[in-house]
Amino acid sequence: MTFSQSDIDELLPLPPATFHILIAVADESRHGYAIIQDIAARTNGELQMSAGTLYRSIQRMQEQGLIVESRRRPDPEDDDERRRYYDITPFGTAVARAEARRLSELVRLARARGIAPERP
Amino acid sequence: MMRLHSLLLYLYPSSFRAEYGAELAHVFQKRRQLASNAVEVLYLWVREFVDVLFNAARVHWDILRQDLRYTRRTLVRAPGFTLTAILITGLGIGANTATFSITDHVLVRPLPFPEPDRLVQLWQRTPAYPQVEISSPNFDDWKKSSTSFELMSAYSSDAVTYAGNGQPQRLEGTSVTSEFFGILRVQPALGRVFSEDDMGEEAARTVILSHAFWQSAFGGNSDILGKQIRFNDDQYTVIGVMPPDFFFPARPGQFWRPLIIPAPARLIRDNYYLYAIARLKAGVSLEKARAEMNLITEQLERQYPRENAKLRATVEPLQENLIPRQTRSLLWTLFGASLCVLLIACTNLANLLLAKAMGRSKELTVRAAIGAGRERLVRQLLTESMSLSVAGGVAGIVIAVVALPLLAQLVPQRLPLADVTVLDQRVLGFALLVTLGTGLAFGVLPALRMCGRADHDGLRERSRSGVGGRRERLRSILVVAEVAASVVLLVSSGLLIRALWRVQAIDPGFRPDSVLSIQTWLPTPRYQSGVNRDRFYQEVLSKVRALPGVANAGMISFAPMTGGGGIWPVTVPGQTGTPQTGAIRFVSPGYFDTIGTRLTRGRDISDSDIVDSSQVAVVSESFAQRYWPNQDPIGQTFNFAFDNYPFAQLDRTVVGVVGDVRFRGLERRSEPQIYLAYRQLEDGPTYYAPKDLVVRSSIDPAQLVASVRAVIQQADPEMPISAVRTLRDIVDLQTAPRSMQLRLVVAFATLSLLLAGLGIHGLLSFAVGQRKPEFGLRIALGAQPRDIISVVLREAVLLTGIGIVTGLIVSRYVGRWMESLLAGVSASDPASLGVTIVVALAMTLSGSLLPALRATRADPTAVIRGE
């Protein structure tokens, strides 16, 4: 699948829910509930994404080509047939990278003006 | 527990539910397992509920946006279709919005007074006339004896000369008793309304002004209260100004003053001239009030067997009473016609969309196959039809705003109603409802139909189903409905045209062309003197007759069809029985010749018929026929059966007979007429004194206006002049609402015919396209173009035939319902029905001609190659 920079730019800035989901599926396929748990764990429980928001975002992200439903399933003993697993696409990775760049650029600007803490 | 949750998930669109429903349930179940106590469970449920509500709305909104984008693309791609569809819906919705706004304004909306359903109008009723004005003593007795009413008020129409600062002006108004405003429960904008103290003959004269008159004559100056103004030759103190939207009892009213009836007149029981309104006591029904009034009038008949013979009371709800029956039928018919147009517009669009959807069935089936699902397809098609109808609705409102002034002409000017405004909440609400209904009506059928197809045989696009196939049946039914509805409109137009012709052909009893009519007003007290009146008449008549281009001139109490009272009971010496009534008018010599009423026997009124000579009368043929059938009426005598009124009781000798005049209007029954000599009117009130000048000219009457005015001004510079028009205008006014309604119904019928033609054309074009292979084959096998055309036409004629028959059956009912508008034309008038059938068939032929010709051009070789 080919995509251009303008395809990426068109989606920026990403809604926070979308960015979190992309990060959650960046390294491995996850099902919906696992995404929610991953986000909660990474944000120390501060962000408890609701199922409605999750699946509405997933639907839109699939349409945008950011994620796809995974063909790989876990071992049968770990699997639950109701679950669907999602993978990030190369386009999704590119968009997530672009968003991360955008956010760090913002933080750099804020830091330059002394309104964000220095790197720990 | 989980069942409740899955019910909650129904808030999501079904496509979303199908995709993620199981997972949403799974996540909820996991969380439910983590909740350890009732509070946590409750918190989970509340969160879930809010979450589903919010996200379901967002998902619906996302789909709508997608569908709208898609709709915009498809509509822009077919601009011809889109514009036609918007125009058709716009016309349908516009016609309905405009007719609704006026029907609602005049007929549906309650009168602008508190608790309007308790307001009633009272009349006297005789065996011949259901609504007759009331005599003063009868009113007093009704008021005294009845217990059903909170208040009862009498009023009578009134007019005064107001000199103001410039030209003397004639003002129309109402004299009312003190209860009048209390019954209607209206408060004045300024000052106060009348109290009992304003009512006596000796009381200081007071007046209340209409808002419009206060604005025009006094610039809306609030110092007006307490000011003296001169009405006729008397000073009146202004005590109040009514609010701008108060017009009762008639729109043109400019003032209200106390109704003061001199003591002698309070005793004359058979002089009918008062109107009455009343407010029912809370909890008293109309029936109870009617029953009580019946008892009271029976009692009065026993007491006054001669004057009150067979006299009863009519008690009608005020609202019904204010709006003439004809206006009602007129508006309801029009509303029905506009609904018919909307129905046809919807049917047509349903057909267009269906045809379009069939053209797209491959695309839709593919979309269904890749998971768009039935619901998504329905939504997509509905979004399309709704977008079209909303655009049509906007166009419709614009059309309504433009059309409203035209429609407003259907409402008589005198009704006590404010102007019709098109864009109020009710009307906009109605337009919105109609728009949504329209979008649904023409969107839902194709959508459901296409979904059925998508499931079944979508991809077998080339499967050859003939015109008689199942999918064509729906479209055929729609075409039949269109034809039927336009037949109903055509028949109605036909009947209304015939009725208009019939009314226009009614002989009014005079020749209205080239006759100018001008109202003068003989201000009192000067013109209470016969000598003064006479001087004025002689000067005006002789000078006007001498003007170049004038053939003759005359004067009468009230020109024909301009109202006025003067319905008097007649007695003929030697004849017994209840006195019947006749209409009296005082006329000058030359009046009959001027308006063109034939003198069939005897002589005209002459200048030598004076107060001191024997009292004479010229009567109409129906009057002579009624009292002296098969006898020579000339030389017969009669008098008026008024007690206590010596002038009326004088014996009068018939000296001439003239043709009957329809003085009440073309379509109303008029009493036989009695014309009295203008110089035999005694000194006193000028109500019956001839004030309407009529002038027959050999040139355009409009050219005479200035010189006639000048003659009147010369005779009396203070004489107010009003209502300058031709008798032709007065007669045409009688049929004006009819003509206007007819024009609209004909416009609706034309529109519907056009739409039905389009419908047939669309259906056949599609069918011919589908059957091209068949036609190609037929041609290859030696069929002639004639045969192909007849195959196609047979289909069209069959559908039209069914439509015509259905339409004719419905028309019979509609015709009966319109009876009051038909002036005696039969609802099954053969000419109207015949023309309708011919026109409908012609429409079918012209609609099917192109598709039929196209069918003959089916190329056999192409067909064989395609197979």
Side-chain angles (χ1 to χ4, degrees):
Chain A
M1 184 183 168
T2 56
F3 48 85
S4 64
Q5 186 60 40
S6 67
D7 291 337
I8 296 172
D9 292 343
E10 208 174 290
L11 296 182
L12 300 186
L14 284 182
T18 306
F19 191 47
H20 276 295
I21 295 169
L22 282 177
I23 293 171
V25 296
D27 51 352
E28 59 174 306
S29 307
R30 283 184 210 270
H31 57 77
Y33 187 59
I35 296 175
I36 293 175
Q37 283 178 311
D38 182 72
I39 294 171
R42 274 187 291 105
T43 58
N44 296 324
E46 263 180 44
L47 184 58
Q48 296 281 349
M49 190 177 282
S50 75
T53 308
L54 175 77
Y55 286 105
R56 190 165 55 78
S57 306
I58 285 182
Q59 184 194 36
R60 208 187 41 243
M61 289 164 74
Q62 282 182 297
E63 279 165 11
Q64 291 168 333
L66 298 175
I67 54 174
V68 286
E69 203 180 322
S70 175
R71 291 212 186 98
R72 285 166 302 176
R73 309 282 304 186
D75 296 337
E77 62 268 22
D78 296 334
D79 196 12
D80 178 339
E81 61 172 17
R82 287 176 306 180
R83 286 181 183 163
R84 297 160 91 170
Y85 288 77
Y86 300 97
D87 280 337
I88 195 163
T89 62
F91 179 57
T93 310
V95 170
R97 281 207 182 105
E99 177 69 0
R101 255 198 314 277
R102 190 184 68 83
L103 291 174
S104 21
E105 186 61 15
L106 282 180
V107 175
R108 194 184 62 75
L109 288 173
R111 232 175 240 144
R113 288 290 157 97
I115 54 171
E118 287 301 314
R119 207 182 287 267
Chain B
M1 190 72 101
M2 286 315 287
R3 188 166 303 156
L4 191 64
H5 187 260
S6 66
L7 279 180
L8 187 61
L9 293 185
Y10 268 91
L11 288 173
Y12 285 109
S14 73
S15 52
F16 188 86
R17 215 168 48 240
E19 189 80 9
Y20 305 107
E23 288 193 70
L24 285 163
H26 176 66
V27 173
F28 180 73
Q29 199 177 14
K30 285 268 183 201
R31 288 193 161 150
R32 171 73 188 75
Q33 283 161 0
L34 292 176
S36 52
N37 57 44
V39 176
E40 279 182 29
V41 172
L42 182 69
Y43 176 66
L44 178 69
W45 268 107
V46 172
R47 255 188 64 167
E48 186 69 7
F49 187 74
V50 174
D51 181 56
V52 172
L53 222 56
F54 172 76
N55 281 295
R58 291 291 300 263
V59 175
H60 279 290
W61 171 240
D62 285 345
I63 293 181
L64 179 65
R65 273 200 337 208
Q66 252 177 36
D67 286 350
L68 281 174
R69 263 201 307 275
Y70 186 80
T71 298
R72 203 187 59 216
R73 276 205 303 273
T74 45
L75 293 185
V76 168
R77 226 183 292 148
F81 167 81
T82 308
L83 283 181
T84 316
I86 292 176
L87 191 70
I88 292 174
T89 19
L91 285 171
I93 294 173
N96 270 273
T97 307
T99 45
F100 171 80
S101 69
I102 203 134
T103 313
D104 174 59
H105 183 79
V106 179
L107 300 185
V108 182
R109 209 172 282 217
L111 291 172
F113 309 118
E115 298 186 63
D117 46 331
R118 283 169 56 196
L119 295 173
V120 293
Q121 180 105 35
L122 299 155
W123 299 92
Q124 291 186 156
R125 188 174 77 228
T126 68
Y129 299 96
Q131 296 183 344
V132 182
E133 291 81 353
I134 310 166
S135 73
S136 174
N138 278 344
F139 173 79
D140 290 340
D141 287 335
W142 290 7
K143 192 173 159 190
K144 238 182 343 224
S145 320
S146 61
T147 58
S148 302
F149 308 101
E150 208 170 82
L151 289 169
M152 193 188 281
S153 164
Y155 61 93
S156 93
S157 49
D158 195 355
V160 295
T161 304
Y162 167 70
N165 302 327
Q167 278 271 328
Q169 244 182 305
R170 195 68 190 169
L171 301 185
E172 270 189 66
T174 313
S175 359
V176 303
T177 60
S178 61
E179 302 87 354
F180 183 81
F181 296 101
I183 288 174
L184 301 172
R185 295 198 183 155
V186 282
Q187 297 299 324
L190 282 181
R192 62 173 180 92
V193 293
F194 299 124
S195 69
E196 204 43 52
D197 297 341
D198 296 303
M199 292 295 141
E201 270 185 82
E202 303 307 317
R205 292 168 198 268
T206 50
V207 65
I208 296 173
L209 306 181
S210 80
H211 195 272
F213 179 60
W214 172 55
Q215 289 289 333
S216 65
F218 304 100
N221 190 339
S222 53
D223 294 345
I224 186 73
L225 293 182
K227 281 252 166 69
Q228 298 274 312
I229 60 175
R230 213 185 91 189
F231 275 2
N232 300 337
D233 284 337
D234 298 317
Q235 294 293 331
Y236 280 76
T237 308
V238 178
I239 60 160
V241 174
M242 292 312 286
D245 55 354
F246 180 77
F247 300 109
F248 198 80
R251 185 77 197 267
Q254 288 158 303
F255 69 89
W256 293 263
R257 60 176 175 166
L259 174 70
I260 293 164
I261 301 168
R266 285 192 170 267
L267 298 173
I268 305 179
R269 202 163 277 276
D270 42 13
N271 186 13
Y272 310 148
Y273 64 101
L274 293 178
Y275 301 94
I277 51 169
R279 182 175 279 274
L280 289 170
K281 276 186 186 155
V284 173
S285 69
L286 195 61
E287 285 65 38
K288 188 167 169 282
R290 280 177 178 153
E292 189 195 23
M293 288 308 295
N294 217 26
L295 284 178
I296 293 172
T297 45
E298 276 170 18
Q299 169 64 28
L300 285 172
E301 182 180 2
R302 280 193 291 276
Q303 240 173 306
Y304 309 98
R306 205 180 66 79
E307 297 99 319
N308 277 21
K310 295 186 183 154
L311 205 72
R312 294 288 175 272
T314 299
V315 185
E316 292 283 353
L318 185 60
Q319 174 142 28
E320 270 173 41
N321 211 275
L322 284 179
I323 317 294
R325 205 168 118 80
Q326 209 190 29
T327 307
R328 265 165 211 287
S329 316
L330 222 70
L331 289 178
W332 283 124
T333 308
L334 207 63
F335 194 51
S338 68
L339 274 181
C340 233
V341 171
L342 188 67
L343 177 77
I344 296 172
C346 283
T347 331
N348 212 305
L349 279 173
N351 238 336
L352 274 177
L353 281 188
L354 205 55
K356 199 159 153 294
M358 284 180 169
R360 274 166 56 190
S361 64
K362 223 176 196 165
E363 167 206 330
L364 290 173
T365 318
V366 169
R367 290 187 63 189
I370 59 170
R374 191 187 168 106
E375 175 228 351
R376 291 288 288 109
L377 286 184
V378 173
R379 283 181 74 139
Q380 172 59 49
L381 288 169
L382 277 183
T383 307
E384 217 168 298
S385 69
M386 282 294 177
S387 308
L388 285 175
S389 78
V390 166
V394 173
I397 289 173
V398 174
I399 292 173
V401 172
V402 175
L404 201 75
L406 271 180
L407 283 170
Q409 292 180 26
L410 290 171
V411 185
Q413 286 290 306
R414 297 192 66 85
L415 293 187
L417 301 167
D419 283 329
V420 190
T421 48
V422 69
L423 287 177
D424 68 359
Q425 274 171 346
R426 275 168 78 106
V427 173
L428 281 180
F430 176 83
L432 185 72
L433 269 185
V434 172
T435 302
L436 296 183
T438 307
L440 268 182
F442 72 76
V444 117
L445 267 183
L448 291 179
R449 196 76 198 84
M450 279 326 292
C451 288
R453 276 173 55 74
D455 286 354
H456 298 124
D457 57 354
L459 286 173
R460 281 178 282 134
E461 171 75 357
R462 295 284 296 164
S463 68
R464 249 175 286 143
S465 54
V467 183
R470 210 170 79 80
R471 57 176 162 178
E472 290 310 321
R473 201 174 309 146
L474 179 64
R475 300 195 60 201
S476 304
I477 292 173
L478 290 177
V479 166
V480 167
E482 276 179 56
V483 174
S486 41
V487 163
V488 172
L489 279 178
L490 277 175
V491 172
S492 311
S493 321
L495 292 176
L496 290 172
I497 290 177
R498 298 268 294 174
L500 178 66
W501 286 350
R502 184 171 283 199
V503 173
Q504 280 172 341
I506 292 172
D507 177 11
F510 54 93
R511 289 180 291 118
D513 288 311
S514 306
V515 179
L516 185 68
S517 153
I518 293 183
Q519 238 164 32
T520 65
W521 283 99
L522 307 187
T524 51
R526 183 192 315 174
Y527 288 99
Q528 283 175 342
S529 137
V531 175
N532 289 344
R533 282 201 301 266
D534 213 38
R535 197 177 304 132
F536 175 73
Y537 292 147
Q538 295 314 328
E539 180 172 350
V540 169
L541 285 176
S542 62
K543 284 188 177 165
V544 168
R545 283 179 189 142
L547 289 172
V550 170
N552 206 345
M555 299 217 45
I556 181 165
S557 313
F558 320 103
M561 301 180 185
T562 59
I567 311 299
W568 285 15
V570 174
T571 43
V572 173
Q575 295 193 12
T576 50
T578 314
Q580 287 180 287
T581 49
I584 63 143
R585 304 284 184 264
F586 286 82
V587 296
S588 73
Y591 167 75
F592 300 118
D593 179 55
T594 306
I595 68 160
T597 298
R598 278 168 307 113
L599 185 71
T600 53
R601 285 183 127 152
R603 67 167 174 89
D604 190 1
I605 296 293
S606 100
D607 273 339
S608 52
D609 299 321
I610 52 172
V611 176
D612 297 334
S613 66
S614 115
Q615 301 288 314
V616 299
V618 170
V619 297
S620 71
E621 279 165 349
S622 62
F623 186 91
Q625 187 61 31
R626 181 198 276 175
Y627 293 105
W628 306 285
N630 310 316
Q631 292 176 47
D632 187 357
I634 305 295
Q636 306 280 6
T637 58
F638 67 94
N639 61 42
F640 298 106
F642 279 133
D643 287 343
N644 310 318
Y645 194 12
F647 170 73
Q649 289 165 347
L650 295 173
D651 272 345
R652 291 164 204 278
T653 309
V654 177
V655 295
V657 178
V658 289
D660 273 273
V661 165
R662 288 184 178 256
F663 69 90
R664 278 188 185 269
L666 282 179
E667 294 181 66
R668 293 184 61 186
R669 202 149 67 100
S670 298
E671 289 87 347
Q673 296 105 57
I674 304 149
Y675 298 96
L676 305 178
Y678 74 145
R679 296 178 89 177
Q680 291 186 334
L681 178 64
E682 59 184 359
D683 286 357
T686 58
Y687 184 71
Y688 290 110
K691 288 183 276 296
D692 287 2
L693 170 67
V694 285
V695 184
R696 178 170 291 278
S697 65
S698 53
I699 55 174
D700 178 8
Q703 293 178 14
L704 280 177
V705 175
S707 39
V708 174
R709 258 179 192 281
V711 168
I712 297 171
Q713 294 289 322
Q714 221 177 335
D716 181 350
E718 284 190 13
M719 179 70 69
I721 295 172
S722 58
V724 181
R725 51 198 170 162
T726 62
L727 279 192
R728 171 50 65 197
D729 292 340
I730 294 175
V731 174
D732 284 349
L733 212 58
Q734 297 278 313
T735 51
R738 258 183 192 287
S739 326
M740 178 48 64
Q741 182 213 30
L742 180 64
R743 255 176 272 163
L744 287 165
V745 175
V746 167
F748 288 166
T750 313
L751 187 64
S752 66
L753 199 66
L754 209 70
L755 291 178
L758 267 178
I760 287 182
H761 175 85
L763 179 75
L764 289 185
S765 298
F766 184 77
V768 164
Q770 292 278 304
R771 291 172 71 183
K772 255 205 168 137
E774 177 198 329
F775 292 134
L777 213 60
R778 281 176 186 243
I779 292 169
L781 293 175
Q784 294 299 309
R786 202 182 40 215
D787 305 327
I788 303 288
I789 290 180
S790 85
V791 169
V792 177
L793 285 191
R794 204 178 307 143
E795 174 78 22
V797 170
L798 179 71
L799 292 182
T800 312
I802 302 175
I804 290 178
V805 172
T806 319
L808 289 181
I809 294 171
V810 178
S811 309
R812 276 197 68 82
Y813 290 99
V814 173
R816 252 178 250 161
W817 186 71
M818 294 199 310
E819 214 152 28
S820 69
L821 289 175
L822 295 185
V825 175
S826 154
S828 49
D829 172 50
S832 306
L833 301 189
V835 171
T836 298
I837 294 172
V838 171
V839 171
L841 284 175
M843 175 270 296
T844 310
L845 280 183
S846 51
S848 34
L849 213 55
L850 270 182
L853 287 177
R854 213 174 300 138
T856 62
R857 287 199 295 266
D859 180 2
T861 51
V863 172
I864 291 158
R865 262 202 309 278
E867 291 296 306

